[in-house]
Amino acid sequence: MRLNIAIDGPVGAGKSSVADAVARRLGILHLDTGAMYRALGLAALERGMNLQDEKAMVELCGSLPVSVTYGEDGQHTFVEGKDVTGLIRTNEVSMAASTVSRYADVRRAMVALQQKLAAETDMLVDGRDICTTVLPDATAKIYLTASAEERAKRRWKEMNEKGMPDTYEKVLEDVRRRDEQDMNREVEPLRQAEDAELVDSTNLTFDETVEAILKIVEAKTHG
Ligand code: DC
């Protein structure tokens, strides 16, 4: 049977890096769905488009093929054949991704692509609506979170290491703003699926978080 692991959670919960480590331990691919919304957000910014214009964003999504490939270093995300992996991690692109992900027809297209990829191979998929919409029948479903302060702290540290000198207060404000936007949008807002297991990593180390998720997967596959 196809092994599909679904992980949802708010910004900065460490989803991407934790998901990457869990997928490696399980020997399966990791699909970072946020990167797909980010790729669309970046494309809109690069074209100087108005992100509030839903119709234009849906048209852009329909005309721009977003795709992913896998290499030794994990997922690469492409827009119109251009590798944008290194360009989609800025704060500006984060906000743009959060904005374009509000539109129902954008989501429909992204979800269809994600479902197609997950049907083709064993895969761990992380995002906001994976347990609820993309893979409701996943082998294991996890909601990974941490307090807003802790998430901002981690993100701030990470950004500083990359030479992006935002203050902690600014990062916390961004985290709260994106939480607000992701949790209160009309279409498929971020929420914990009823049958998803909660992993709160506020007081867990990275390795402890990975182990907690592997334990849940183990219980689902062998329990
Ligand atoms: O996980 P991330 O920070 O890379 O995601 C960027 C934005 O994309 C996030 O603010 C909400 C949106 N997103 C979404 O709506 N659904 C997903 N499955 C993944 C991301």
Side-chain angles (χ1 to χ4, degrees):
M1 216 183 85
R2 179 68 63 232
L3 178 65
N4 280 159
I5 315 290
I7 304 185
D8 287 323
V11 53
K15 270 187 323 254
S16 285
S17 45
V18 167
D20 225 42
V22 172
R24 270 174 214 279
R25 287 275 293 272
L26 294 170
I28 62 177
L29 296 181
H30 164 215
L31 177 64
D32 168 4
T33 61
M36 297 165 69
Y37 292 96
R38 284 170 182 270
L40 179 63
L42 173 74
L45 289 174
E46 280 182 346
R47 285 162 178 74
M49 295 173 75
N50 174 9
L51 283 90
Q52 305 300 329
D53 183 343
E54 177 166 356
K55 192 163 165 275
M57 290 304 109
V58 171
E59 274 172 21
L60 183 68
C61 180
S63 66
L64 274 189
V66 171
S67 60
V68 300
T69 62
Y70 289 92
E72 288 280 295
D73 55 348
Q75 175 176 329
H76 281 248
T77 309
F78 294 79
V79 175
E80 278 191 315
K82 175 182 159 198
D83 189 341
V84 294
T85 312
L87 303 173
I88 55 176
R89 296 292 151 198
T90 64
N91 253 343
E92 199 190 5
V93 175
S94 298
M95 279 316 294
S98 181
T99 302
V100 297
S101 71
R102 294 199 316 245
Y103 307 135
D105 286 340
V106 166
R107 302 201 67 81
R108 227 188 306 279
M110 295 293 187
V111 168
L113 180 55
Q114 291 153 14
Q115 288 174 330
K116 183 169 168 283
L117 291 166
E120 281 167 2
T121 178
D122 288 350
M123 197 170 242
L124 182 156
V125 185
D126 91 70
R128 302 290 191 290
D129 57 341
I130 313 304
C131 301
T132 47
T133 307
V134 179
L135 299 173
D137 298 323
T139 322
K141 296 187 188 186
I142 290 126
Y143 189 81
L144 178 63
T145 190
S147 70
E149 290 76 12
E150 178 63 24
R151 288 186 280 126
K153 205 167 89 192
R154 290 178 195 166
R155 205 166 153 65
W156 176 65
K157 201 166 152 255
E158 190 186 301
M159 289 171 73
N160 264 267
E161 280 162 8
K162 286 187 191 154
M164 299 184 212
D166 271 347
T167 62
Y168 167 75
E169 286 71 25
K170 165 84 171 60
V171 177
L172 179 60
E173 193 191 307
D174 281 351
V175 163
R176 292 210 165 113
R177 202 145 52 98
R178 273 221 285 155
D179 275 0
E180 167 76 22
Q181 192 158 298
D182 293 347
M183 291 175 187
N184 295 304
R185 68 173 174 233
E186 278 173 31
V187 192
E188 290 157 16
L190 170 67
R191 63 182 172 86
Q192 183 183 345
E194 268 170 33
D195 55 353
E197 311 231 14
L198 178 70
V199 175
D200 184 336
S201 73
T202 308
N203 297 307
L204 299 182
T205 63
F206 180 84
D207 289 345
E208 286 168 344
T209 311
V210 170
E211 290 306 324
I213 293 175
L214 284 169
K215 224 167 109 187
I216 293 170
V217 174
E218 173 78 21
K220 293 285 179 195
T221 48
H222 296 105

Coordinates of all heavy atoms in Angstrom, one line a residue, residues 54-112:
E54 N -7.6 38.7 -7.5 CA -7.8 37.2 -7.5 C -7.8 36.7 -9.0 O -7.2 35.7 -9.2 CB -9.1 36.9 -6.8 CG -9.4 35.4 -6.8 CD -10.5 35.0 -5.9 OE1 -11.0 35.9 -5.1 OE2 -10.9 33.8 -5.9
K55 N -8.6 37.4 -9.8 CA -8.7 36.9 -11.2 C -7.3 36.8 -11.9 O -7.0 35.7 -12.5 CB -9.6 37.8 -12.0 CG -10.1 37.3 -13.3 CD -11.3 38.1 -13.8 CE -11.5 37.8 -15.3 NZ -10.7 38.6 -16.2
A56 N -6.5 37.8 -11.7 CA -5.2 37.8 -12.3 C -4.3 36.7 -11.7 O -3.6 36.0 -12.5 CB -4.5 39.2 -12.1
M57 N -4.5 36.5 -10.4 CA -3.6 35.4 -9.8 C -4.1 34.0 -10.2 O -3.2 33.1 -10.5 CB -3.7 35.5 -8.2 CG -3.1 36.7 -7.7 SD -1.3 36.9 -8.1 CE -1.4 38.3 -9.2
V58 N -5.4 33.8 -10.4 CA -5.8 32.5 -10.9 C -5.4 32.3 -12.3 O -4.9 31.2 -12.7 CB -7.4 32.4 -10.8 CG1 -7.9 31.2 -11.5 CG2 -7.8 32.5 -9.3
E59 N -5.4 33.3 -13.1 CA -5.0 33.2 -14.5 C -3.5 32.9 -14.6 O -3.0 32.1 -15.3 CB -5.3 34.5 -15.3 CG -6.7 34.5 -15.8 CD -7.1 35.9 -16.4 OE1 -6.2 36.7 -16.8 OE2 -8.3 36.1 -16.5
L60 N -2.7 33.6 -13.7 CA -1.3 33.4 -13.7 C -1.0 32.0 -13.3 O -0.2 31.3 -13.9 CB -0.6 34.4 -12.7 CG 0.9 34.3 -12.6 CD1 1.5 34.8 -13.8 CD2 1.4 35.1 -11.4
C61 N -1.7 31.5 -12.3 CA -1.5 30.1 -11.8 C -1.8 29.1 -13.0 O -1.1 28.1 -13.2 CB -2.5 29.8 -10.6 SG -2.3 28.2 -10.0
G62 N -2.9 29.4 -13.8 CA -3.3 28.5 -14.9 C -2.3 28.5 -16.0 O -2.1 27.5 -16.7
S63 N -1.6 29.7 -16.2 CA -0.7 29.8 -17.3 C 0.7 29.5 -17.0 O 1.6 29.3 -17.9 CB -0.8 31.2 -17.9 OG -0.2 32.1 -16.9
L64 N 1.1 29.4 -15.7 CA 2.4 29.1 -15.3 C 2.6 27.7 -14.7 O 2.1 27.5 -13.6 CB 2.8 30.0 -14.2 CG 3.3 31.4 -14.4 CD1 3.8 32.0 -13.1 CD2 4.5 31.4 -15.4
P65 N 3.2 26.8 -15.4 CA 3.4 25.5 -14.8 C 4.4 25.5 -13.6 O 5.5 26.0 -13.8 CB 3.9 24.6 -16.0 CG 4.2 25.6 -17.1 CD 3.8 27.0 -16.7
V66 N 3.9 25.2 -12.4 CA 4.8 25.0 -11.3 C 5.1 23.5 -11.2 O 4.2 22.7 -11.4 CB 4.1 25.4 -10.0 CG1 4.9 25.1 -8.8 CG2 3.9 27.0 -10.0
S67 N 6.4 23.2 -11.1 CA 6.7 21.7 -11.0 C 7.8 21.5 -10.0 O 8.5 22.5 -9.5 CB 7.1 21.2 -12.3 OG 8.3 21.9 -12.8
V68 N 8.0 20.3 -9.5 CA 9.1 19.9 -8.6 C 9.8 18.8 -9.1 O 9.3 17.9 -9.8 CB 8.5 19.6 -7.2 CG1 7.8 20.8 -6.6 CG2 7.7 18.4 -7.1
T69 N 11.1 18.8 -8.8 CA 12.0 17.6 -9.1 C 12.7 17.3 -7.8 O 12.8 18.1 -6.9 CB 13.0 17.8 -10.2 OG1 13.9 18.9 -9.8 CG2 12.3 18.2 -11.5
Y70 N 13.4 16.1 -7.8 CA 14.1 15.7 -6.6 C 15.6 15.4 -7.0 O 15.8 14.7 -8.0 CB 13.5 14.5 -5.9 CG 12.2 14.9 -5.3 CD1 11.0 14.8 -6.0 CD2 12.2 15.4 -4.0 CE1 9.8 15.3 -5.4 CE2 11.0 15.9 -3.4 CZ 9.9 15.8 -4.1 OH 8.7 16.2 -3.5
G71 N 16.5 16.0 -6.2 CA 17.9 15.7 -6.4 C 18.5 15.2 -5.1 O 17.8 15.0 -4.1
E72 N 19.8 15.1 -5.1 CA 20.5 14.7 -3.9 C 20.2 15.6 -2.7 O 20.1 15.1 -1.5 CB 22.1 14.8 -4.1 CG 22.6 13.7 -5.0 CD 22.8 12.4 -4.3 OE1 23.7 12.4 -3.4 OE2 22.1 11.4 -4.6
D73 N 20.0 16.9 -3.0 CA 19.8 17.8 -1.9 C 18.3 18.1 -1.7 O 17.9 19.1 -1.2 CB 20.5 19.1 -2.2 CG 20.2 19.7 -3.6 OD1 19.5 19.0 -4.4 OD2 20.5 20.9 -3.9
G74 N 17.4 17.2 -2.2 CA 16.0 17.3 -1.9 C 15.2 18.0 -3.0 O 15.7 18.0 -4.2
Q75 N 14.1 18.6 -2.6 CA 13.2 19.2 -3.6 C 13.7 20.4 -4.3 O 14.3 21.3 -3.7 CB 11.9 19.5 -2.9 CG 10.8 20.2 -3.8 CD 9.5 20.4 -3.0 OE1 9.2 19.6 -2.1 NE2 8.8 21.4 -3.3
H76 N 13.5 20.5 -5.6 CA 13.7 21.7 -6.3 C 12.4 22.2 -6.9 O 11.6 21.3 -7.4 CB 14.8 21.6 -7.5 CG 16.2 21.6 -7.0 ND1 17.1 22.6 -7.2 CD2 16.8 20.7 -6.1 CE1 18.2 22.4 -6.6 NE2 18.1 21.2 -5.9
T77 N 12.1 23.5 -6.8 CA 10.8 24.0 -7.3 C 11.0 24.8 -8.5 O 11.9 25.7 -8.5 CB 10.1 24.7 -6.2 OG1 10.1 23.9 -5.0 CG2 8.7 25.1 -6.5
F78 N 10.2 24.6 -9.5 CA 10.4 25.3 -10.8 C 9.1 26.1 -11.2 O 8.0 25.6 -10.9 CB 10.7 24.3 -12.0 CG 12.0 23.6 -11.8 CD1 12.1 22.5 -11.0 CD2 13.1 24.0 -12.6 CE1 13.3 21.8 -10.8 CE2 14.3 23.3 -12.5 CZ 14.4 22.2 -11.6
V79 N 9.3 27.2 -11.8 CA 8.2 28.0 -12.5 C 8.6 28.2 -13.9 O 9.7 28.7 -14.2 CB 8.0 29.4 -11.8 CG1 6.9 30.1 -12.6 CG2 7.6 29.2 -10.4
E80 N 7.8 27.7 -14.8 CA 8.1 27.8 -16.3 C 9.5 27.3 -16.6 O 10.2 27.9 -17.3 CB 8.0 29.3 -16.7 CG 6.6 29.7 -17.0 CD 6.6 31.1 -17.7 OE1 7.3 32.0 -17.3 OE2 5.8 31.2 -18.7
G81 N 9.9 26.2 -15.9 CA 11.2 25.6 -16.2 C 12.4 26.3 -15.5 O 13.5 25.9 -15.6
K82 N 12.1 27.4 -14.7 CA 13.2 28.1 -14.0 C 13.3 27.6 -12.6 O 12.2 27.6 -11.9 CB 12.9 29.6 -14.1 CG 13.9 30.4 -13.3 CD 13.6 31.9 -13.4 CE 14.2 32.7 -12.3 NZ 13.5 34.0 -12.1
D83 N 14.4 27.2 -12.1 CA 14.6 26.7 -10.8 C 14.6 27.9 -9.8 O 15.5 28.8 -9.8 CB 16.0 26.0 -10.6 CG 16.1 25.3 -9.3 OD1 15.3 25.6 -8.4 OD2 16.9 24.4 -9.2
V84 N 13.5 28.0 -9.0 CA 13.4 29.2 -8.1 C 13.6 28.8 -6.6 O 13.4 29.6 -5.7 CB 11.9 29.8 -8.2 CG1 11.7 30.4 -9.6 CG2 10.8 28.8 -7.9
T85 N 14.2 27.6 -6.4 CA 14.4 27.1 -5.1 C 15.1 28.1 -4.1 O 14.7 28.2 -3.0 CB 15.2 25.8 -5.1 OG1 14.6 24.9 -6.1 CG2 15.3 25.0 -3.8
G86 N 16.1 28.8 -4.7 CA 16.9 29.7 -3.8 C 16.3 31.0 -3.7 O 16.7 31.9 -2.9
L87 N 15.2 31.3 -4.4 CA 14.6 32.7 -4.4 C 13.3 32.8 -3.6 O 12.8 33.9 -3.5 CB 14.3 33.0 -5.9 CG 15.4 33.0 -6.9 CD1 14.9 33.2 -8.3 CD2 16.5 34.0 -6.6
I88 N 12.8 31.7 -3.1 CA 11.5 31.8 -2.5 C 11.4 31.8 -1.0 O 10.4 31.7 -0.4 CB 10.6 30.6 -3.0 CG1 11.3 29.2 -2.7 CG2 10.3 30.7 -4.5 CD1 10.5 28.0 -3.1
R89 N 12.6 32.1 -0.4 CA 12.6 32.0 1.1 C 12.6 33.4 1.8 O 12.8 33.5 3.0 CB 13.8 31.2 1.6 CG 13.8 29.8 1.2 CD 12.7 29.0 1.9 NE 12.2 27.9 1.1 CZ 11.1 27.3 1.3 NH1 10.3 27.6 2.3 NH2 10.7 26.3 0.5
T90 N 12.4 34.5 1.0 CA 12.4 35.8 1.6 C 11.1 36.1 2.3 O 10.1 35.4 2.0 CB 12.7 36.9 0.5 OG1 11.6 36.9 -0.4 CG2 14.0 36.6 -0.3
N91 N 11.1 37.1 3.1 CA 9.9 37.5 3.8 C 8.8 38.0 2.9 O 7.6 37.7 3.0 CB 10.2 38.7 4.8 CG 10.2 38.2 6.2 OD1 9.7 37.2 6.5 ND2 10.8 39.0 7.1
E92 N 9.3 38.7 1.8 CA 8.3 39.3 0.9 C 7.6 38.1 0.1 O 6.4 38.2 -0.1 CB 9.1 40.1 -0.1 CG 8.3 41.1 -0.9 CD 9.1 41.7 -2.1 OE1 10.2 41.4 -2.3 OE2 8.5 42.6 -2.7
V93 N 8.4 37.1 -0.2 CA 7.7 35.9 -0.9 C 6.8 35.2 0.0 O 5.8 34.7 -0.4 CB 8.8 35.0 -1.6 CG1 8.2 33.8 -2.2 CG2 9.6 35.8 -2.6
S94 N 7.2 35.1 1.3 CA 6.3 34.4 2.3 C 4.9 35.1 2.3 O 3.9 34.4 2.3 CB 6.9 34.5 3.7 OG 8.2 33.9 3.8
M95 N 4.9 36.4 2.4 CA 3.7 37.1 2.5 C 2.9 36.9 1.2 O 1.7 36.8 1.2 CB 3.9 38.6 2.8 CG 4.1 39.0 4.2 SD 3.1 38.2 5.4 CE 1.5 38.9 5.1
A96 N 3.6 37.0 0.1 CA 3.0 36.8 -1.3 C 2.3 35.4 -1.4 O 1.2 35.3 -1.8 CB 4.0 37.0 -2.4
A97 N 3.0 34.4 -0.9 CA 2.5 33.0 -0.9 C 1.2 32.9 -0.1 O 0.3 32.3 -0.5 CB 3.6 32.1 -0.4
S98 N 1.3 33.6 1.1 CA 0.1 33.5 2.0 C -1.1 34.2 1.3 O -2.2 33.7 1.4 CB 0.5 34.2 3.3 OG -0.6 34.2 4.2
T99 N -0.8 35.3 0.5 CA -1.9 36.0 -0.1 C -2.5 35.2 -1.3 O -3.7 35.0 -1.4 CB -1.4 37.4 -0.6 OG1 -0.9 38.1 0.5 CG2 -2.5 38.1 -1.3
V100 N -1.6 34.7 -2.2 CA -2.2 33.9 -3.3 C -2.8 32.6 -2.9 O -3.7 32.1 -3.6 CB -1.1 33.7 -4.5 CG1 -0.6 35.0 -5.0 CG2 0.0 32.8 -4.0
S101 N -2.4 32.1 -1.8 CA -3.0 30.8 -1.3 C -4.4 31.0 -0.8 O -5.1 30.0 -0.5 CB -2.1 30.2 -0.2 OG -2.2 30.9 1.0
R102 N -4.9 32.2 -0.7 CA -6.3 32.4 -0.3 C -7.3 32.1 -1.4 O -8.5 32.0 -1.1 CB -6.5 33.9 0.1 CG -5.7 34.4 1.3 CD -6.3 35.7 1.8 NE -6.7 36.6 0.8 CZ -6.1 37.8 0.7 NH1 -5.1 38.2 1.5 NH2 -6.5 38.7 -0.3
Y103 N -6.9 32.1 -2.6 CA -7.8 32.0 -3.7 C -8.2 30.6 -4.1 O -7.3 29.7 -4.3 CB -7.2 32.7 -4.9 CG -6.8 34.1 -4.6 CD1 -5.6 34.6 -5.1 CD2 -7.6 35.0 -3.9 CE1 -5.2 35.9 -4.8 CE2 -7.2 36.3 -3.6 CZ -6.0 36.8 -4.0 OH -5.6 38.0 -3.7
A104 N -9.5 30.3 -4.1 CA -10.0 28.9 -4.2 C -9.5 28.2 -5.5 O -9.1 27.1 -5.4 CB -11.5 28.9 -4.2
D105 N -9.4 28.9 -6.6 CA -9.0 28.3 -7.8 C -7.5 28.0 -7.9 O -7.1 27.1 -8.5 CB -9.5 29.1 -9.1 CG -11.0 28.9 -9.3 OD1 -11.5 27.9 -8.7 OD2 -11.6 29.7 -9.9
V106 N -6.8 28.9 -7.2 CA -5.3 28.6 -7.0 C -5.1 27.3 -6.2 O -4.4 26.4 -6.6 CB -4.6 29.8 -6.4 CG1 -3.2 29.4 -5.9 CG2 -4.6 31.0 -7.3
R107 N -5.9 27.2 -5.1 CA -5.7 26.1 -4.3 C -6.1 24.8 -5.0 O -5.5 23.8 -4.9 CB -6.6 26.2 -3.0 CG -6.3 27.4 -2.2 CD -6.8 27.2 -0.7 NE -6.0 26.2 -0.1 CZ -4.8 26.3 0.5 NH1 -4.2 27.5 0.5 NH2 -4.2 25.3 1.0
R108 N -7.2 24.9 -5.8 CA -7.7 23.7 -6.5 C -6.6 23.2 -7.4 O -6.3 22.0 -7.4 CB -8.9 24.1 -7.4 CG -10.0 23.1 -7.2 CD -11.2 23.4 -8.2 NE -11.7 24.7 -8.1 CZ -12.6 25.2 -7.2 NH1 -13.0 24.3 -6.3 NH2 -13.0 26.4 -7.3
A109 N -5.9 24.1 -8.1 CA -4.9 23.6 -9.1 C -3.7 23.0 -8.3 O -3.1 22.0 -8.7 CB -4.4 24.8 -9.9
M110 N -3.3 23.7 -7.2 CA -2.1 23.2 -6.4 C -2.5 21.8 -5.8 O -1.6 20.9 -5.8 CB -1.8 24.2 -5.3 CG -1.3 25.5 -5.8 SD 0.3 25.4 -6.7 CE 0.7 27.1 -6.9
V111 N -3.7 21.7 -5.2 CA -4.1 20.5 -4.6 C -4.1 19.3 -5.6 O -3.6 18.2 -5.3 CB -5.5 20.6 -3.9 CG1 -6.0 19.3 -3.5 CG2 -5.4 21.5 -2.7
A112 N -4.6 19.6 -6.8 CA -4.6 18.5 -7.8 C -3.2 18.0 -8.1 O -3.0 16.8 -8.2 CB -5.3 19.0 -9.0

